[in-house]
Amino acid sequence: YLGQSLPLQDLAELAKNSSLDILVTSLTSAYSKKDTQELIGMFAEKFADKEVWLTGSKVSEIKNEVPGHIELLPTPEDYLQKLESLKS
């Protein structure tokens, strides 16, 4: 856990300099749809070589397609199912 207000650039630098396999983040703030799409674009660009899991209440509002390395997990059940898939 790295905190709720870690700047995206700092997170990208951490990912570049560590053995990060999966980035999991929750979108729960009052982002507008435009802000959410911009954030997804930044994740797609800065973490193009990483698997990204997006959770939280805002994820269910995403209607546009996302890049293949970004997984939308709108419910706790979806998240738990994804975690279970790592076991096999």
Side-chain angles (χ1 to χ4, degrees), residues 10-87:
D10 291 352
L11 184 59
E13 194 65 31
L14 175 71
K16 187 168 46 169
N17 295 318
S18 69
S19 60
L20 176 77
D21 293 319
I22 302 169
L23 171 67
V24 180
T25 191
S26 181
L27 302 178
T28 57
S29 296
Y31 290 110
S32 69
K33 287 182 182 180
K34 180 181 178 226
D35 290 340
T36 301
Q37 290 298 11
E38 287 176 4
L39 192 58
I40 290 171
M42 286 189 284
F43 280 123
E45 178 187 329
K46 297 205 180 282
F47 304 99
D49 62 336
K50 307 289 183 197
E51 191 171 348
V52 179
W53 296 0
L54 298 180
T55 68
S57 59
K58 289 305 220 177
V59 171
S60 63
E61 298 175 10
I62 298 169
K63 303 300 181 208
N64 298 355
E65 288 198 28
V66 297
H69 68 287
I70 296 179
E71 183 88 28
L72 302 179
L73 305 168
T75 68
E77 293 79 16
D78 293 328
Y79 179 72
L80 290 173
Q81 190 173 39
K82 190 67 177 175
L83 283 176
E84 284 293 321
S85 75
L86 294 177
K87 291 181 179 179

